[in-house]
Every structure is written in structure tokens, then in C-alpha cells.
Amino acid sequence: MDYQALADLLFPDVTDTPEMLEERFPVRNLPEGAVVTRMAPSPTGFVHLGNLVQGLTSERMAHQSGGVLFLRVEDTDAKREVPGAVEVLINTLKHYGIHFDEGASLEGDVGIYGPYHQSKRAAIYHVYAKKLVAEGKAYPCFCTEEELTAMRETQETNKENTGYYGKYAMWRDRPMEDIQAQLDAGNPWVLRFRSTGSIENQFKFDDLVKGKLTITENDVDHVLLKSDGIPTYHFAHAVDDHLMRTTHVVRGDEWLPSLPFHIQLFKALGFKLPKYVHIGPLMKMDGASKRKLSKRKDPELALTYYKAEGFPVEAVCEYMMTVLNSNFEDWRRANPDAPIDAFKFSPKKLNPAGSLFDYAKLTDVSKNVIAKMDASKVYHLLTQWAEEFDPDFAARLTADPAFATAILAIGRGGKKPRKDIAVWKEAKAYMGFFYDAYLEKPVFDEKFDRAVISRALRLFLDRFDMADDSAAWFDKVKAITEELGFTTDMKAYKADPAAFPGTVADVSTFIRQAVTGKTNSPDLYTVMQILGYDRTVARIQAVMEQL
């Protein structure tokens, strides 16, 4: 077989050479040890936690080494592509702080190694396809779907491995005459890789997460180009990762079965093999057992879920780092105020079997993250969230920023800041009572006579003075308690509850409910200071009229 003649026959319009492409996409001028890696998602419209895991891993490896992170869109499967999915992907990753140095963007490609959409790189792939044919490493296959189905059924009947290999690779060594006849007839063809592997052979391979693996050689003649000339993922990623000078491939471990073929393909193309980082799946507890997070069963798999719930980006990234690197929590305890980027991330600290995702722990991390923020930052992030997910609440927050910020400042700062909010979605329930539109009618404990509650409120109004400091304010509450026959001595009350109708805590609750509509709220003295004299008095009077 004259392989060069076959290559010219299959690719008559390809005039570029691999050498020309090597010159067009030069080796990057980067420091020794710099990592060049990528995110290369398919535009299917679903951006999930796995994308964030891959994104954070890739971003940390690239940027802490002085390297490059780029975004490549693997859109060669038109049937699966969802309109607008690329925009959703870019915006979602940007929201979570995954910033790319180059690649696909909403404004177009950025960088000299593009195009960064695989659908626009067909001419590049055909150069290497022609090279493989000319070297006898690839060939056209004219099998019909019916023939392939019959082959698979025979293999299953014989309990053989399925696939196009060995005696089943019916077009591997066909003469030029047969190929020419098919082309003359206008029959479609795919380009297949000519495998030289055997499943009898194994070799060792080092993965940066899984460690030393024993790999069985690939013996299947996989498809490189589909009948429309578009490459398969396998072929496209090898060409792109070489020309874009990728040093590390970060991906899910569901790609491990394809690794033998990818290693074989890089070698056949004469490319240096990148280092591989195969990440285990995210797991969750389901009863007493673990299972993979599921798109169908688990809404928390989608990254849009966390934005809608109102988890701050910092909280999600902080928690995900605890999932990815087992030593992160110790580092954080030793460096409570350090930026997360100061942590030395290592792919070798990833759990080879996959990590457990704990929603309750994420919520706890988020409370701590929000508690450390100053009121201005909380106001900014909360307002940003509300404008998208609760416009009515956003309108009230932005109508008087100083008022909203003062509310959010309650209990903030100091060694033990309040931890009332875990997600922005909870903020309205926490602070909504400050706004008359969200104020709920109080429901007082039935064991207290309404006349007693009304008297307590009247006594409070008679003595209420905005000039009082918190100590003087509470002294008045204690005095009212004594006048009502309640007690300020909590120990005495616990020793003999029947001796008193109630305590100072009950009197405080009457006032709290009248002002806030709730039995629990931030510091009541501070609440009144923020509401002001007129609004505080008006609320108490309105409740007294209803008693």
C-alpha cells in the first residue's frame, strides 16, 4: 500500500504540514515548572460541581506555578450542544472566580493558540489525520451501521470483547482498489486509528492523583474522524493539547478507560504526553452508604443551585478546598485570615477514590465566611444576590443603604461575631422585620394574660428614652419586671417556678415581639436604636391596640 498516495486521495485539499503548525503554535515561553492546563467542557448547558472541582484544581496548579489556564470549548458533538450553553458556562465559572488567561470568552477568542472552539479547528485536525494516513497509522473505514451492529452482535454471542479490532477490523488492510471503488461510489467513511496494541500486554503509568497504575494496551481501531470530517474527542484533544502546549490534563476519572488509547495516540502522533490528573467523583451519603452525586437526584450538583441559594463564592471555594486537599483545614486554622490563594494546593492531596460532599459542612463554612465579612461587603453581596433572586427585597435594601448596612453591622466584628446567616436566602428572615412590609404580627405565649403583656408594654413606653445606653435601658426593663411581680433572679425562678408569674426574660420577649414580631432577634437595644424612636413606639402602640 502506498500510504502517501492514500493520504493524498483522502485529503486532497490539505496542504499545510505538521511543521507549519508547530511554527504557528510555538512552545510557550514560561518559567521552569510552569503548568499549562485547561478546562475543556462540552457546551451541554449543565455546569456542575465537577466543573468547579476541575476548575479550582486547574486554576491553582496553573497560577501558583506561574503558568497558564485556558478555556477550550469541545463542541464537536453538535447533537448534544445546547444554544447559549457556552455563555452560561463562562458566566458561571466567572461567578466562582475561575478566571482564564486565554481561550474562549464572551467577546471572542483571547490568545494566539486558537481557535479555542474545536468546531473551528477542522483544518488543523485534517493536517494530522493526513500525517497518520501517510505513515500507515490510520485508514478509511466504509462499514455501514448495519455491518457494525452485526459485528457487535456476533461478538456478544461469542462472549468476546466488543469493538473494531483484530479480525473484526475489516477495512484495516483493504487494497487501494477497494477504497477507490467506495470513494467513486460516494460512500461515506470514517478515519480509524490503526492500533498496534494487544490486550495481552500491560504497562505502568503514573497519574498525579491515582498514583502508579497498571494499564492494559488498547487494541481497538478507534474512530479519529467521523464521516462529516469532524474529529472525535480522542483525536481532537490530543492535537489541541499538543498545539496549545498543555502540560497537565485535569479531568474526571471516568476517562481512565480511554487512557490506553490516548497514550497510544500521543505516541503515534509524535507528541510528548502531558501529565494526567484524574479526579475521583464527588460522593454523598445516602443512608448508610456513599453514592455519586447525580444530576437527576441531587439539585446541589448544579452550580446554579448555589448561586440561587445565595452561598457566597468565597464560601463555596473555601469549602471545596477542604474537599480537594486534606491538609487545607489544618492550614486554615493556622492561617485564619490569609487569602485562600496563599494555600499551597497539591493534586497529590486529592482523594484517589473521590471525595465526600457534605452540604451541612458547606453551610457551616459559609456561616463562618459571612461572619468574617464587614457590613459593607455583606450589604454589597446580599444586594447583588437579591437583585437577581428577590427584587422586592433588593428594592428595600437599596432604598436606604445606610439603614440596611447598620442592620447588617449588628454583632459583626470582634472575636465572636454573630453567625445568623449561612446563605443570602436567609437574610430576609433574619432582618426583614426592620421593614414594615415584612413585619409579622406577634404571637404571644398563651400562658401570659394579655392585660399583663399590655401593661408591660405601657410601662416600657412610659420610660423609653433613646438617649439611654444599653445598661440604663436594661435597668428599666428589670424595674418593669419587678413592678409586674416577675423576677430578675433566674436562679430563684429555676428553684421555684411556681413562685413567680415570669422572669425578666419573659418581659424582654414581650417587648421584643412587639418591636420585631419575633421571639428571637439580634440585640433588642441595638434594634431599637436602628429603628429610631418614632418607629419603635409606633410598633409597640400598634400591638397594644390589638391586645
Side-chain angles (χ1 to χ4, degrees), residues 66-100:
V68 173
L69 173 66
F70 64 90
L71 176 64
R72 184 173 73 224
V73 180
E74 301 196 336
D75 56 351
T76 58
D77 190 347
K79 293 177 183 177
R80 295 181 63 225
E81 185 169 350
V82 175
V86 175
E87 290 78 5
V88 171
L89 174 78
I90 291 173
N91 285 330
T92 303
L93 292 175
K94 182 179 179 181
H95 177 73
Y96 286 97
I98 307 296
H99 297 287
F100 298 95

Side-chain angles (χ1 to χ4, degrees), residues 6 41 136 160-161 164 244 263 287 293 323 328 375 403 415 497 504-505:
L6 178 59
E160 298 173 298
N161 291 336
Y164 197 91
M244 294 178 182
I263 294 172
L293 280 172
V323 171
F328 177 77
F403 179 64
K415 292 184 178 180
V504 67

Side-chain angles (χ1 to χ4, degrees), residues 380-393:
H380 170 71
L381 294 176
L382 171 59
T383 303
Q384 194 177 57
W385 172 86
E387 284 173 344
E388 183 172 356
F389 297 102
D390 192 343
D392 182 75
F393 188 33

Side-chain angles (χ1 to χ4, degrees), residues 328-403:
F328 177 77
E329 289 183 84
D330 288 339
W331 176 86
R332 174 52 79 205
R333 279 189 285 270
N335 303 274
D337 300 317
I340 195 170
D341 288 354
F343 172 68
K344 184 68 175 175
F345 177 87
S346 171
K348 295 181 180 180
K349 292 288 185 180
L350 287 161
N351 188 331
S355 302
L356 184 64
F357 181 80
D358 185 340
Y359 189 87
K361 187 172 180 180
L362 166 62
T363 302
D364 191 52
V365 169
S366 191
K367 281 183 180 179
N368 290 328
V369 168
I370 293 174
K372 286 185 176 182
M373 296 177 182
D374 63 37
S376 295
K377 183 172 183 178
V378 174
Y379 172 77
H380 170 71
L381 294 176
L382 171 59
T383 303
Q384 194 177 57
W385 172 86
E387 284 173 344
E388 183 172 356
F389 297 102
D390 192 343
D392 182 75
F393 188 33
R396 298 180 195 283
L397 291 169
T398 55
D400 189 345
F403 179 64

